[in-house]
Structure formats: structure tokens, C-alpha cells
Amino acid sequence: SMQSHQVCMRVSFLAPYTSFDESKESERSNECLGRRHEPNYLAVSELYDPLTHQWNMTGTMAIPRIDHTATLLKSGQVLVAGGQGPSGYLVECELYDPFSGQWHVVASMAKARKWHTATLLCSGQVLVTGGTTIESDTLLNSTEIYDPFTNRW
């Protein structure tokens, strides 16, 4: 008989920064010399198989992002919410289907946010709290609840 095993997921956490670019040094004459951190927005995701001890590529998200949350739902799907992408802070959310290995765009949050928390509730809904928003990294004290059964916030 086949043994069942758990697989964990890593969502766009590869290579968070690019290295210092000497060609732009003249633009930073008043900055300290050293490493310049530029975000590297990624849409890739990987699955880890503990039996083989290997990470394997899986579906790609529609929007590359950093500083988002990833919540494992009771269905086995993974909800990715918010974060920051190349065009700014995000309201967009995506759902990973482990059976197809694909990401699907789902309902967007009301407020663009990054550095927030996302908690799976006993009801199966996801509570998103806090974080920062577009207006100069203003701290948020608001919350939103996602219902995966109705695809609504």
C-alpha cells in the first residue's frame, strides 16, 4: 500500500533582493555606499516533498508579489492575499488548487495591504488584519473576512 505523506508549499520567497548596482552610484551621491535593496517580485511557487527531500516547481501566480500572506484552507487550497507587486500595494488575491497545480484569481480585498496577518478561523473563513497601506505605509487597524465558499470578502 502507498503511504500518504504531507507536502508543504513555498510561495514566491526566492531571491528577495538584487545586488548593488554600481552603474547607478552617481544617482546616489548622498547615500551610503554598500548594498542597494531592490524588490524582486516573484510569481513562482514550489512544493516540498519530504519523502524525496526536494522542492519542485508548481503553478505560477497571475501577479508577482512580496510581503503577502499564504493561508492553508481546510480544503487543502492555499489563499494568497495582498502584498506588494510591481504596480504597488495589492488588493488582489489568488487561490492555489493542489489537485490541478494551478493558481486562480479570486475576489479582491477592499483595502490594499501588505505586512498583514491572515488567520484561518474554525468556520473555514480567513480573517485578515492590520498591515500597511498605500498612503506612505500608513498602519491599518481594519480587518476583512474572506469566505472561500462564496468567494466574497
Side-chain angles (χ1 to χ4, degrees), residues 11-32:
V11 181
S12 75
F13 293 117
L14 300 174
Y17 299 104
T18 56
S19 62
F20 176 73
D21 183 352
E22 292 180 25
S23 66
K24 294 186 180 181
E25 182 55 38
S26 62
E27 298 172 19
R28 296 188 300 273
S29 59
N30 294 328
E31 294 181 26
C32 295

Side-chain angles (χ1 to χ4, degrees), residues 13 16-17 37-41 64-70 80-93 109-118 128-142 144:
F13 293 117
Y17 299 104
H37 297 285
E38 294 288 336
N40 186 9
Y41 307 105
R65 58 184 77 213
I66 59 173
D67 303 326
H68 54 277
T69 56
V80 164
Q84 183 175 353
S87 62
Y89 285 34
L90 300 171
V91 294
E92 292 86 358
C93 301
M109 295 184 292
K111 192 76 157 167
R113 59 179 81 219
K114 70 175 187 178
W115 297 330
H116 51 285
T117 64
V128 170
T129 61
T132 62
T133 192
I134 299 168
E135 301 89 19
S136 304
D137 280 340
T138 301
L139 296 175
L140 292 171
N141 64 356
S142 62
E144 300 183 50

Side-chain angles (χ1 to χ4, degrees), residues 74 119-127 149:
K74 291 182 176 186
T119 305
L120 180 64
L121 303 175
C122 292
S123 66
Q125 296 174 314
V126 178
L127 173 67
F149 305 107

